[in-house]
Amino acid sequence: MKRFLTILLATLALSAALCVSASASSFDGAARELSTIGMLKGTADGFDLDKAPTRAQAAIMLVRLYGAEERAQGLYSSGRITCPFADVNETAAPYVAWLVDEGLANGITETSFGAAEPCTAKAYTIFLLRALGYQDKEDFTTANAQEFAQSLGLLDTSALTGTFLRDDLVALTYQALGTDMKDGKMYLLEHLIEDCELDVSGARTLTKKIEYYRDINSASSALREGVSAKINLNMEMDVSRIAPGDTQPSGEIERVALACGGDVKLAMKRYPEMALDLTMKADGQEENVKLWLKGDWVYAQTGEASVKMETGEEIWKLLEDSAQKEAGASLLPFVADISKQASGDEAVYTMDMNDAYESLVKDITAQVLEANHVSGSAGGEMDMKGFTIRYTVKGGTLKSVSADTALSMKIDGGEAEGTVMAGMSMDMKMDILSSGSAVKISFPDFSDFEEVIGGADGPTGISGILAS
Protein backbone atom coordinates (compact mmCIF):
# COMPACT_ATOMS: atom_id res chain seq x y z
CA MET A 1 0.00 0.00 0.00
CA LYS A 2 2.76 2.44 0.85
CA ARG A 3 4.39 1.89 -2.52
CA PHE A 4 1.11 2.56 -4.33
CA LEU A 5 0.41 5.73 -2.34
CA THR A 6 3.93 7.07 -2.85
CA ILE A 7 3.72 6.55 -6.61
CA LEU A 8 0.29 8.18 -6.72
CA LEU A 9 1.48 11.16 -4.68
CA ALA A 10 4.41 11.77 -7.00
CA THR A 11 2.21 11.36 -10.08
CA LEU A 12 -0.40 13.89 -8.98
CA ALA A 13 2.27 16.37 -7.92
CA LEU A 14 3.74 16.14 -11.41
CA SER A 15 0.34 16.51 -13.04
CA ALA A 16 -0.48 19.60 -10.96
CA ALA A 17 2.67 21.40 -12.02
CA LEU A 18 2.46 20.28 -15.64
CA CYS A 19 3.14 22.53 -18.59
CA VAL A 20 1.97 20.37 -21.42
CA SER A 21 2.71 20.12 -25.05
CA ALA A 22 1.20 16.68 -25.55
CA SER A 23 -2.09 15.94 -27.20
CA ALA A 24 -5.10 14.74 -25.27
CA SER A 25 -8.63 14.31 -26.50
CA SER A 26 -11.13 15.48 -26.74
CA PHE A 27 -10.86 19.24 -27.15
CA ASP A 28 -14.60 19.82 -27.28
CA GLY A 29 -14.33 23.05 -25.27
CA ALA A 30 -11.73 24.52 -27.63
CA ALA A 31 -13.84 23.43 -30.63
CA ARG A 32 -16.88 25.27 -29.26
CA GLU A 33 -14.85 28.45 -28.73
CA LEU A 34 -13.43 28.25 -32.26
CA SER A 35 -16.98 27.90 -33.49
CA THR A 36 -18.05 31.13 -31.77
CA ILE A 37 -15.50 33.11 -33.80
CA GLY A 38 -16.29 31.35 -37.07
CA MET A 39 -13.10 29.30 -37.25
CA LEU A 40 -14.75 25.89 -37.07
CA LYS A 41 -18.10 24.77 -38.43
CA GLY A 42 -19.84 21.78 -36.90
CA THR A 43 -22.59 19.50 -38.14
CA ALA A 44 -25.75 18.08 -36.60
CA ASP A 45 -23.52 15.40 -35.09
CA GLY A 46 -21.07 17.88 -33.53
CA PHE A 47 -17.54 18.70 -34.63
CA ASP A 48 -16.46 15.19 -35.73
CA LEU A 49 -13.28 15.51 -33.68
CA ASP A 50 -12.55 11.81 -34.01
CA LYS A 51 -12.28 12.06 -37.80
CA ALA A 52 -9.27 12.94 -39.92
CA PRO A 53 -9.42 16.41 -41.52
CA THR A 54 -9.15 16.47 -45.30
CA ARG A 55 -6.80 18.75 -47.22
CA ALA A 56 -9.85 20.75 -48.31
CA GLN A 57 -10.99 21.25 -44.71
CA ALA A 58 -7.48 22.29 -43.70
CA ALA A 59 -7.44 24.80 -46.56
CA ILE A 60 -10.67 26.37 -45.29
CA MET A 61 -9.24 26.68 -41.78
CA LEU A 62 -6.03 28.23 -43.08
CA VAL A 63 -7.87 30.94 -45.03
CA ARG A 64 -9.82 31.80 -41.87
CA LEU A 65 -6.53 32.04 -39.93
CA TYR A 66 -5.38 34.58 -42.50
CA GLY A 67 -8.58 36.54 -41.90
CA ALA A 68 -9.29 36.27 -45.63
CA GLU A 69 -12.53 34.29 -45.78
CA GLU A 70 -14.76 37.09 -47.10
CA ARG A 71 -12.02 38.34 -49.43
CA ALA A 72 -11.49 34.87 -50.89
CA GLN A 73 -15.21 34.35 -51.46
CA GLY A 74 -15.59 37.78 -53.04
CA LEU A 75 -12.64 37.31 -55.40
CA TYR A 76 -13.87 33.88 -56.42
CA SER A 77 -17.46 35.03 -56.98
CA SER A 78 -16.25 37.88 -59.20
CA GLY A 79 -14.08 35.54 -61.24
CA ARG A 80 -10.84 37.30 -60.35
CA ILE A 81 -9.46 34.04 -58.95
CA THR A 82 -10.25 30.51 -60.08
CA CYS A 83 -9.61 27.04 -58.70
CA PRO A 84 -7.43 24.97 -61.06
CA PHE A 85 -8.22 21.60 -59.45
CA ALA A 86 -10.98 19.29 -60.65
CA ASP A 87 -11.36 17.47 -57.30
CA VAL A 88 -12.30 20.56 -55.25
CA ASN A 89 -16.03 21.12 -54.65
CA GLU A 90 -17.72 24.51 -54.77
CA THR A 91 -17.68 24.88 -50.97
CA ALA A 92 -13.90 24.66 -50.76
CA ALA A 93 -13.09 26.17 -54.17
CA PRO A 94 -12.86 29.86 -53.06
CA TYR A 95 -10.48 28.91 -50.23
CA VAL A 96 -8.21 26.71 -52.32
CA ALA A 97 -8.24 29.28 -55.15
CA TRP A 98 -7.13 32.05 -52.79
CA LEU A 99 -4.35 29.95 -51.26
CA VAL A 100 -3.05 29.01 -54.70
CA ASP A 101 -3.23 32.63 -55.88
CA GLU A 102 -1.28 33.75 -52.81
CA GLY A 103 1.32 31.01 -53.29
CA LEU A 104 0.44 29.41 -49.96
CA ALA A 105 -0.65 25.98 -51.17
CA ASN A 106 -0.07 23.64 -54.08
CA GLY A 107 -1.85 20.65 -55.52
CA ILE A 108 -0.51 17.11 -55.54
CA THR A 109 -0.63 17.28 -59.36
CA GLU A 110 -1.41 20.05 -61.83
CA THR A 111 -5.09 19.09 -61.87
CA SER A 112 -5.64 17.58 -58.43
CA PHE A 113 -5.48 19.20 -55.00
CA GLY A 114 -5.99 15.91 -53.16
CA ALA A 115 -9.03 17.54 -51.58
CA ALA A 116 -10.45 14.37 -50.03
CA GLU A 117 -7.11 13.03 -48.85
CA PRO A 118 -6.28 13.34 -45.15
CA CYS A 119 -4.22 16.31 -44.07
CA THR A 120 -1.05 15.26 -42.23
CA ALA A 121 0.21 16.72 -38.96
CA LYS A 122 3.29 18.08 -40.70
CA ALA A 123 1.29 19.71 -43.50
CA TYR A 124 -1.03 21.49 -41.06
CA THR A 125 1.91 22.59 -38.92
CA ILE A 126 3.45 24.20 -42.00
CA PHE A 127 0.12 25.91 -42.80
CA LEU A 128 0.05 27.39 -39.29
CA LEU A 129 3.65 28.62 -39.45
CA ARG A 130 2.84 30.44 -42.67
CA ALA A 131 -0.25 32.02 -41.08
CA LEU A 132 1.99 33.26 -38.24
CA GLY A 133 4.20 35.00 -40.81
CA TYR A 134 7.06 32.50 -41.01
CA GLN A 135 8.43 31.56 -44.41
CA ASP A 136 9.54 28.26 -45.88
CA LYS A 137 13.32 27.94 -46.32
CA GLU A 138 13.88 31.28 -44.60
CA ASP A 139 12.60 30.42 -41.10
CA PHE A 140 12.02 26.67 -41.32
CA THR A 141 12.22 23.75 -43.71
CA THR A 142 9.80 20.93 -44.41
CA ALA A 143 12.12 18.62 -42.45
CA ASN A 144 12.28 20.74 -39.26
CA ALA A 145 8.86 22.43 -39.38
CA GLN A 146 7.41 20.42 -36.48
CA GLU A 147 10.45 20.96 -34.30
CA PHE A 148 10.38 24.69 -35.08
CA ALA A 149 6.67 24.91 -34.22
CA GLN A 150 7.31 23.18 -30.89
CA SER A 151 9.99 25.77 -30.07
CA LEU A 152 7.21 28.40 -30.36
CA GLY A 153 5.09 26.52 -27.81
CA LEU A 154 2.80 24.73 -30.26
CA LEU A 155 1.81 21.09 -30.01
CA ASP A 156 4.61 18.65 -30.75
CA THR A 157 2.97 17.12 -33.81
CA SER A 158 5.98 14.88 -34.41
CA ALA A 159 4.66 12.89 -31.43
CA LEU A 160 1.39 12.24 -33.26
CA THR A 161 2.37 8.92 -34.80
CA GLY A 162 -1.22 7.87 -35.49
CA THR A 163 -3.85 9.51 -37.66
CA PHE A 164 -3.95 13.30 -37.46
CA LEU A 165 -7.50 14.05 -36.27
CA ARG A 166 -9.73 17.10 -36.28
CA ASP A 167 -9.22 17.01 -32.52
CA ASP A 168 -5.49 17.65 -33.05
CA LEU A 169 -6.28 20.32 -35.65
CA VAL A 170 -8.48 22.09 -33.10
CA ALA A 171 -5.75 22.03 -30.43
CA LEU A 172 -3.10 23.37 -32.82
CA THR A 173 -5.38 26.09 -34.19
CA TYR A 174 -6.39 27.19 -30.69
CA GLN A 175 -2.74 27.39 -29.64
CA ALA A 176 -1.83 29.33 -32.77
CA LEU A 177 -4.43 32.01 -31.99
CA GLY A 178 -2.53 32.81 -28.78
CA THR A 179 0.92 32.68 -30.40
CA ASP A 180 2.94 35.74 -31.43
CA MET A 181 3.19 36.65 -35.09
CA LYS A 182 6.72 36.50 -36.47
CA ASP A 183 7.19 40.27 -36.10
CA GLY A 184 6.30 40.03 -32.40
CA LYS A 185 3.90 42.98 -32.53
CA MET A 186 0.69 40.99 -31.99
CA TYR A 187 -0.51 37.50 -31.30
CA LEU A 188 -2.52 35.86 -34.08
CA LEU A 189 -6.04 36.45 -32.73
CA GLU A 190 -5.18 40.08 -31.99
CA HIS A 191 -3.89 40.42 -35.57
CA LEU A 192 -7.12 38.94 -36.95
CA ILE A 193 -9.18 41.46 -34.97
CA GLU A 194 -6.99 44.50 -35.65
CA ASP A 195 -6.00 43.93 -39.27
CA CYS A 196 -8.49 41.47 -40.73
CA GLU A 197 -12.21 40.85 -40.72
CA LEU A 198 -12.82 38.77 -37.58
CA ASP A 199 -15.91 39.70 -35.58
CA VAL A 200 -14.65 41.45 -32.45
CA SER A 201 -17.77 40.75 -30.37
CA GLY A 202 -17.53 36.99 -30.91
CA ALA A 203 -13.84 36.97 -30.02
CA ARG A 204 -14.00 39.06 -26.84
CA THR A 205 -14.21 36.16 -24.36
CA LEU A 206 -11.38 34.24 -26.03
CA THR A 207 -9.25 37.40 -26.26
CA LYS A 208 -9.56 37.96 -22.51
CA LYS A 209 -8.56 34.38 -21.77
CA ILE A 210 -5.54 34.60 -24.07
CA GLU A 211 -4.38 37.90 -22.60
CA TYR A 212 -4.64 36.62 -19.02
CA TYR A 213 -2.79 33.50 -20.09
CA ARG A 214 -0.05 35.62 -21.68
CA ASP A 215 0.19 37.68 -18.48
CA ILE A 216 0.93 34.47 -16.56
CA ASN A 217 3.52 33.38 -19.15
CA SER A 218 5.24 36.75 -18.99
CA ALA A 219 5.38 36.68 -15.19
CA SER A 220 6.80 33.13 -15.33
CA SER A 221 9.44 33.72 -18.01
CA ALA A 222 12.40 33.87 -15.60
CA LEU A 223 11.59 30.38 -14.34
CA ARG A 224 12.91 28.93 -17.59
CA GLU A 225 16.40 30.08 -16.55
CA GLY A 226 16.18 28.93 -12.95
CA VAL A 227 13.92 28.65 -9.93
CA SER A 228 14.29 28.19 -6.19
CA ALA A 229 11.04 27.37 -4.42
CA LYS A 230 9.37 25.77 -1.45
CA ILE A 231 6.64 23.30 -2.27
CA ASN A 232 3.95 21.79 -0.12
CA LEU A 233 1.48 19.12 -1.24
CA ASN A 234 -1.25 17.53 0.86
CA MET A 235 -3.72 14.79 0.05
CA GLU A 236 -6.47 13.20 2.08
CA MET A 237 -7.67 9.82 0.89
CA ASP A 238 -10.35 7.28 1.71
CA VAL A 239 -8.98 3.96 0.51
CA SER A 240 -10.81 0.64 0.29
CA ARG A 241 -9.68 -2.63 -1.22
CA ILE A 242 -11.00 -5.68 -2.99
CA ALA A 243 -8.75 -8.51 -1.90
CA PRO A 244 -7.30 -10.86 -4.53
CA GLY A 245 -9.96 -13.37 -5.50
CA ASP A 246 -12.87 -11.32 -4.10
CA THR A 247 -15.42 -9.35 -6.10
CA GLN A 248 -16.64 -6.87 -3.45
CA PRO A 249 -14.84 -4.42 -1.13
CA SER A 250 -14.17 -5.63 2.40
CA GLY A 251 -16.18 -2.72 3.81
CA GLU A 252 -13.19 -1.36 5.69
CA ILE A 253 -12.16 2.15 4.73
CA GLU A 254 -8.65 3.33 5.46
CA ARG A 255 -8.31 7.07 5.90
CA VAL A 256 -4.88 8.19 4.82
CA ALA A 257 -3.18 11.56 4.98
CA LEU A 258 -0.25 12.15 2.67
CA ALA A 259 2.09 15.10 2.54
CA CYS A 260 5.15 16.12 0.62
CA GLY A 261 7.08 19.31 1.24
CA GLY A 262 10.50 20.84 0.93
CA ASP A 263 12.88 22.75 -1.27
CA VAL A 264 13.29 22.61 -5.04
CA LYS A 265 16.03 24.23 -7.08
CA LEU A 266 16.53 24.10 -10.83
CA ALA A 267 19.21 26.02 -12.71
CA MET A 268 19.11 25.95 -16.51
CA LYS A 269 22.71 26.76 -17.37
CA ARG A 270 24.75 25.20 -20.18
CA TYR A 271 24.08 21.92 -18.41
CA PRO A 272 20.88 21.80 -16.31
CA GLU A 273 21.33 21.28 -12.56
CA MET A 274 18.72 20.32 -9.97
CA ALA A 275 18.41 19.77 -6.24
CA LEU A 276 15.36 18.45 -4.37
CA ASP A 277 15.10 18.08 -0.61
CA LEU A 278 11.66 16.68 0.19
CA THR A 279 10.02 15.17 3.23
CA MET A 280 7.27 12.67 2.43
CA LYS A 281 4.74 11.49 4.98
CA ALA A 282 2.44 8.52 4.36
CA ASP A 283 0.94 5.68 6.41
CA GLY A 284 2.16 7.35 9.59
CA GLN A 285 5.74 7.22 8.39
CA GLU A 286 8.06 10.07 7.47
CA GLU A 287 10.83 9.84 4.93
CA ASN A 288 13.32 12.41 3.69
CA VAL A 289 14.31 12.16 0.05
CA LYS A 290 17.10 14.15 -1.55
CA LEU A 291 17.74 14.16 -5.26
CA TRP A 292 20.37 15.96 -7.33
CA LEU A 293 21.15 16.29 -11.02
CA LYS A 294 24.73 17.26 -11.83
CA GLY A 295 26.68 16.60 -14.97
CA ASP A 296 25.84 13.17 -16.37
CA TRP A 297 24.57 11.77 -13.08
CA VAL A 298 21.45 11.67 -10.92
CA TYR A 299 22.11 11.21 -7.20
CA ALA A 300 19.52 10.11 -4.64
CA GLN A 301 19.63 9.80 -0.88
CA THR A 302 17.03 8.50 1.55
CA GLY A 303 17.59 6.93 4.94
CA GLU A 304 20.95 5.18 4.83
CA ALA A 305 20.88 4.64 1.07
CA SER A 306 22.95 6.89 -1.22
CA VAL A 307 22.99 5.93 -4.89
CA LYS A 308 23.82 7.40 -8.29
CA MET A 309 22.99 6.54 -11.87
CA GLU A 310 23.85 7.98 -15.27
CA THR A 311 21.10 10.22 -16.61
CA GLY A 312 20.82 8.91 -20.15
CA GLU A 313 19.68 11.00 -23.10
CA GLU A 314 15.97 11.14 -22.17
CA ILE A 315 16.28 13.38 -19.11
CA TRP A 316 18.70 15.71 -20.89
CA LYS A 317 16.35 16.08 -23.82
CA LEU A 318 13.41 16.76 -21.50
CA LEU A 319 15.26 19.46 -19.55
CA GLU A 320 16.87 21.05 -22.60
CA ASP A 321 13.56 21.15 -24.47
CA SER A 322 11.94 22.80 -21.43
CA ALA A 323 14.67 25.44 -21.31
CA GLN A 324 14.84 26.20 -25.01
CA LYS A 325 11.21 26.33 -26.08
CA GLU A 326 8.88 29.19 -25.40
CA ALA A 327 6.07 28.52 -22.96
CA GLY A 328 3.84 29.76 -25.75
CA ALA A 329 0.19 28.81 -25.84
CA SER A 330 0.75 25.09 -25.22
CA LEU A 331 -1.62 24.90 -22.24
CA LEU A 332 -4.44 27.01 -23.72
CA PRO A 333 -6.58 24.18 -25.16
CA PHE A 334 -6.69 22.62 -21.68
CA VAL A 335 -8.05 25.77 -20.03
CA ALA A 336 -11.78 26.21 -19.46
CA ASP A 337 -11.56 29.75 -18.06
CA ILE A 338 -9.19 32.29 -16.48
CA SER A 339 -10.29 35.05 -14.12
CA LYS A 340 -8.26 37.84 -12.55
CA GLN A 341 -8.46 39.74 -9.27
CA ALA A 342 -6.08 42.67 -8.86
CA SER A 343 -5.14 44.88 -5.93
CA GLY A 344 -2.36 47.40 -6.42
CA ASP A 345 0.60 45.72 -8.11
CA GLU A 346 -0.60 42.23 -7.10
CA ALA A 347 -2.88 40.06 -9.20
CA VAL A 348 -4.26 36.56 -8.69
CA TYR A 349 -5.15 34.61 -11.81
CA THR A 350 -7.47 31.63 -11.33
CA MET A 351 -7.24 29.03 -14.11
CA ASP A 352 -9.89 26.30 -14.28
CA MET A 353 -8.91 23.29 -16.36
CA ASN A 354 -11.26 21.43 -18.70
CA ASP A 355 -12.05 17.81 -19.61
CA ALA A 356 -9.09 17.60 -21.98
CA TYR A 357 -6.78 18.21 -19.02
CA GLU A 358 -8.51 15.46 -17.06
CA SER A 359 -7.88 13.13 -19.98
CA LEU A 360 -4.20 14.14 -20.00
CA VAL A 361 -3.83 13.45 -16.26
CA LYS A 362 -5.46 10.05 -16.75
CA ASP A 363 -2.93 9.21 -19.45
CA ILE A 364 0.03 10.36 -17.35
CA THR A 365 -1.20 8.46 -14.30
CA ALA A 366 -1.62 5.26 -16.30
CA GLN A 367 1.86 5.60 -17.79
CA VAL A 368 3.52 6.21 -14.42
CA LEU A 369 1.71 3.30 -12.79
CA GLU A 370 2.69 1.02 -15.66
CA ALA A 371 6.31 2.17 -15.44
CA ASN A 372 6.26 1.31 -11.74
CA HIS A 373 4.83 -2.15 -12.44
CA VAL A 374 1.33 -1.43 -11.16
CA SER A 375 -1.04 -3.24 -13.48
CA GLY A 376 -4.46 -2.15 -14.60
CA SER A 377 -5.77 0.93 -16.36
CA ALA A 378 -5.80 3.77 -13.85
CA GLY A 379 -6.69 6.43 -16.37
CA GLY A 380 -9.78 4.58 -17.58
CA GLU A 381 -11.36 4.63 -14.13
CA MET A 382 -10.39 8.03 -12.81
CA ASP A 383 -12.94 10.79 -12.29
CA MET A 384 -11.60 14.30 -11.67
CA LYS A 385 -13.99 16.78 -10.07
CA GLY A 386 -12.40 19.99 -11.28
CA PHE A 387 -8.80 21.16 -11.34
CA THR A 388 -7.96 24.76 -10.44
CA ILE A 389 -4.57 26.50 -10.58
CA ARG A 390 -3.95 29.93 -9.02
CA TYR A 391 -1.04 32.16 -9.94
CA THR A 392 -0.09 35.08 -7.69
CA VAL A 393 1.83 37.78 -9.55
CA LYS A 394 3.36 40.82 -7.85
CA GLY A 395 5.10 43.59 -9.76
CA GLY A 396 4.93 41.52 -12.92
CA THR A 397 6.78 38.56 -11.35
CA LEU A 398 5.32 35.19 -10.40
CA LYS A 399 5.43 34.72 -6.62
CA SER A 400 3.42 31.56 -6.02
CA VAL A 401 1.41 28.83 -7.69
CA SER A 402 -1.24 26.71 -6.00
CA ALA A 403 -3.52 23.96 -7.29
CA ASP A 404 -6.36 21.87 -5.93
CA THR A 405 -8.57 19.06 -7.14
CA ALA A 406 -10.73 16.18 -5.99
CA LEU A 407 -10.87 12.84 -7.74
CA SER A 408 -11.61 9.16 -7.43
CA MET A 409 -9.64 6.23 -8.81
CA LYS A 410 -9.92 2.48 -9.14
CA ILE A 411 -6.62 0.70 -9.73
CA ASP A 412 -5.74 -2.96 -10.13
CA GLY A 413 -2.71 -3.40 -7.90
CA GLY A 414 -2.05 -6.96 -9.08
CA GLU A 415 -2.14 -10.26 -7.25
CA ALA A 416 -0.32 -8.88 -4.21
CA GLU A 417 -2.56 -5.87 -3.47
CA GLY A 418 -5.83 -6.63 -5.24
CA THR A 419 -7.95 -3.69 -6.42
CA VAL A 420 -7.43 -0.35 -4.71
CA MET A 421 -10.22 2.26 -4.75
CA ALA A 422 -9.44 5.77 -3.59
CA GLY A 423 -11.40 8.97 -3.20
CA MET A 424 -9.16 11.94 -2.55
CA SER A 425 -8.71 15.67 -2.37
CA MET A 426 -5.42 17.37 -3.11
CA ASP A 427 -3.91 20.81 -2.72
CA MET A 428 -0.45 21.97 -3.69
CA LYS A 429 1.41 25.25 -3.30
CA MET A 430 4.77 26.43 -4.58
CA ASP A 431 6.23 29.63 -3.13
CA ILE A 432 8.92 31.02 -5.39
CA LEU A 433 11.94 32.36 -3.50
CA SER A 434 13.98 33.43 -6.51
CA SER A 435 14.13 32.86 -10.25
CA GLY A 436 16.31 33.49 -13.25
CA SER A 437 20.07 33.20 -13.68
CA ALA A 438 20.66 34.19 -10.03
CA VAL A 439 19.61 30.72 -8.80
CA LYS A 440 22.66 28.80 -7.57
CA ILE A 441 22.91 25.20 -6.39
CA SER A 442 25.38 23.82 -3.83
CA PHE A 443 26.16 20.12 -4.06
CA PRO A 444 27.38 17.71 -1.35
CA ASP A 445 30.31 15.32 -1.74
CA PHE A 446 29.09 12.42 -3.90
CA SER A 447 32.22 10.25 -3.53
CA ASP A 448 30.48 7.69 -1.29
CA PHE A 449 27.36 7.30 -3.46
CA GLU A 450 26.98 3.76 -4.80
CA GLU A 451 26.41 3.33 -8.51
CA VAL A 452 23.08 1.74 -9.41
CA ILE A 453 23.26 -1.95 -10.32
CA GLY A 454 20.88 -3.10 -13.04
CA GLY A 455 19.44 0.31 -13.91
CA ALA A 456 16.84 2.41 -12.10
CA ASP A 457 14.82 -0.65 -11.05
CA GLY A 458 17.80 -2.82 -10.09
CA PRO A 459 18.81 -3.97 -6.58
CA THR A 460 20.04 -0.51 -5.66
CA GLY A 461 17.96 1.36 -8.21
CA ILE A 462 16.70 4.85 -7.52
CA SER A 463 13.10 3.92 -8.38
CA GLY A 464 13.17 1.04 -5.93
CA ILE A 465 14.59 3.13 -3.12
CA LEU A 466 12.10 5.97 -3.54
CA ALA A 467 9.03 3.74 -3.89
CA SER A 468 9.85 0.89 -1.53
Side-chain angles (χ1 to χ4, degrees), residues 32-172:
R32 287 192 296 271
E33 290 188 73
L34 291 180
S35 176
T36 64
I37 60 173
M39 287 284 169
L40 187 69
K41 301 293 174 67
T43 67
D45 298 323
F47 296 106
D48 294 329
L49 299 184
D50 59 343
K51 295 182 179 178
T54 65
R55 282 173 52 86
Q57 290 170 340
I60 292 171
M61 179 69 81
L62 181 60
V63 172
R64 289 172 180 160
L65 284 169
Y66 273 96
E69 184 169 26
E70 290 185 10
R71 186 160 66 254
Q73 291 174 337
L75 290 171
Y76 183 79
S77 297
S78 67
R80 283 180 285 175
I81 59 174
T82 60
C83 181
F85 306 116
D87 62 338
V88 178
N89 63 28
E90 277 303 303
T91 299
Y95 303 88
V96 174
W98 186 84
L99 290 173
V100 171
D101 188 65
E102 293 289 324
L104 297 170
N106 301 307
I108 58 175
T109 70
E110 288 187 3
T111 59
S112 175
F113 184 68
E117 293 187 12
C119 178
T120 65
K122 177 177 283 190
Y124 194 68
T125 300
I126 292 172
F127 284 163
L128 288 181
L129 291 175
R130 291 171 181 164
L132 290 167
Y134 295 98
Q135 298 181 16
D136 307 50
K137 298 181 181 180
E138 178 180 318
D139 300 302
F140 66 91
T141 64
T142 300
N144 73 2
Q146 291 164 294
E147 182 181 14
F148 180 73
Q150 187 186 6
S151 74
L152 302 177
L154 296 177
L155 184 72
D156 179 13
T157 55
S158 64
L160 300 176
T161 55
T163 303
F164 182 65
L165 301 177
R166 283 170 61 89
D167 196 52
D168 303 309
L169 178 146
V170 163
L172 269 171

Side-chain angles (χ1 to χ4, degrees), residues 10-24 213 216-217 220 223 233 318 322 325 327-332 334-335 351 353 356-368 382 384 387-391 398 401-404 426 428 430:
T11 302
L12 291 173
L14 171 65
S15 301
L18 213 55
C19 180
V20 293
S21 61
S23 177
Y213 180 91
I216 295 168
N217 272 355
S220 309
L223 273 66
L233 184 148
L318 176 65
S322 299
K325 79 173 185 178
S330 58
L331 197 62
L332 262 178
F334 300 93
V335 179
M351 181 185 294
M353 313 308 290
Y357 190 80
E358 179 180 347
S359 178
L360 180 68
V361 174
K362 287 181 182 180
D363 291 343
I364 292 172
T365 305
Q367 291 171 24
V368 172
M382 184 176 80
M384 181 176 289
F387 199 113
T388 300
I389 307 174
R390 295 177 182 83
Y391 301 85
L398 185 66
V401 182
S402 63
D404 59 78
M426 183 199 78
M428 184 201 78
M430 179 174 69

